[in-house]
Amino acid sequence: MRYGIAITALLALGSSADAAAISDRASSGGWGLASILSAFGISVSNDAGKHGPTFSINYNAHGNGVGAWQKAVSHSIPWRNNFQGWSTYKANGVNLGSWLEVEQGNTPNVIPSQYPDEWTFCSAVGKGACGPVLENHYRTWFTTSDIDNFARYGINTIRIPTTYAAWYAVPGSQLYTGNQLAYLRTITNYALSKGMHVIIGLHSLPGGANSLDIGEALGHGNWWYNQTNFDFSMKVVDQVLGFIQTTINPNQITFEPANEPCDDIRNFATPNTISYPNGVNYYNTYLRAVYAKIQKVNRNIPMMISDAFMGASYWAPFWQQGQNIVFDSHFYFFAASGVYSQFVSDITCGQASAAATSFPVFVGEFSIESKYNNTLAARRQIYQSQQYAYAQYLSGSAFWDGKLDVTDRVDGEGTKNDYWSFANLIKDGVVLPGGAINSSFC
Ligand SMILES: *[C@@H]1O[C@H](CO)[C@@H](O)[C@H](O)[C@H]1NC(C)=O
Ligand SMILES: *[C@@H]1O[C@H](CO)[C@@H](O)[C@H](O)[C@H]1NC(C)=O
Ligand SMILES: *[C@@H]1O[C@H](CO)[C@@H](O)[C@H](O)[C@H]1NC(C)=O
């Protein structure tokens, strides 16, 4: 994800009016989902007041960065391929992002630069023309040889974002429905055959989950408070669960039914990413509906809950011990206020433990770009400090992204590829064989 760029583009498109409209709908409250929900025995959630405290990384909380690079602690973590539930698992993961859900900002050579997202591209050139471009990307961007390569570096978990259009052709949607599932099946079964755990995610949702390119299309926020789109989402979820059940090992797959949802883009990546109480109630209604569906299909499939940058602690009170859930928190240091690279390792060590809850927490996305003063030499420590801290205090992590194709310069040394591409980190010796750790700060 590169939401900094997407938000800039969104504001350039003048979509703050859309954001205001979404926010008005949120505060007017109320939507008529009862009939859809009664079909699986749940009702509209109205218990938003039960939420816990928000948690967001406090970038200035720890340390002074002095001498960071001189410190290099080793840890022996035997990354295991024996997932038996998130409460005992330690993920050493990588995302296969910008593959089946293409992000213009991560793979600019797939979607031509005049289009901000797949929706706009396909709508402009027609599906007959965007389809072959996307199919070629699906066929080539990640293949089983990448899985072999990642396995050599200790990767035991892969997280695969998809668009809803991979699963269900929603009428009127300009997202492309093609052979995504064939590619997904090949990679998933291959990774499972290597003993890996696979997380299948819905990045986009019908109508638009967060007004960003990744949520359907830039400026689309109609997933929220929209009965039609809720209904389509349920159909998408049915397809995902059906797919999981026909893989070679359904009990090694986690399902994440939303990614970074946000009902008012002006608050994206803040502790108000989802509005209180209406957004919270709507999101919980959806999650509870998905959870009920999972329980009917296969109770061994964990549901992964995107914390929408509000912290797992905010959402934990809505769930009961024994429910098969895991939270997904995304920690990035490239966008937030003023983080210099030499502070990141120390911050990471201190704050991973503070992100823990009574439910397992997985860091489903992180990168090693800092806002200021990136250095190539510091990458190993910054990568390994996060890899270690997230496994030590939480349920592990998945780096974003497996590959990247962006040569824009970062602040300091190098390009985006040097800080966001796992394949590049392997080539440059930042990531060690077997996922070994010899340069952690903590
Ligand atoms: C629901 O979302 C669709 C777009 O996905 C939009 O056309 C429709 O107007 C929305 N309905 C309501 C009631 O807002
Ligand atoms: C950023 O890096 C430059 C060059 O290495 C260094 O002189 C400067 O002190 C750094 N800034 C901070 C705030 O550490
Ligand atoms: C960590 O291991 C790599 C690869 O063997 C090596 O190049 C590097 O010097 C080691 N770093 C430390 C601090 O031992």
Side-chain angles (χ1 to χ4, degrees), residues 72 380 432 438-439:
R380 183 181 287 142
L432 301 183
N438 71 356
S439 303

Side-chain angles (χ1 to χ4, degrees), residues 317-376:
F318 297 111
W319 299 90
Q320 282 141 30
Q321 286 306 319
Q323 289 187 303
N324 195 5
I325 60 161
V326 51
F327 290 104
D328 175 14
S329 298
H330 295 176
F331 293 153
Y332 283 112
F333 295 96
F334 76 104
S337 54
V339 181
Y340 286 78
S341 60
Q342 65 266 44
F343 292 84
V344 170
S345 304
D346 195 3
I347 292 169
T348 296
C349 301
Q351 303 214 26
S353 61
T357 70
S358 53
F359 293 96
V361 177
F362 166 72
V363 180
E365 295 187 14
F366 75 99
S367 76
I368 56 171
E369 183 188 349
S370 310
K371 182 143 184 177
Y372 300 119
N373 265 23
N374 292 284
T375 70
L376 295 171

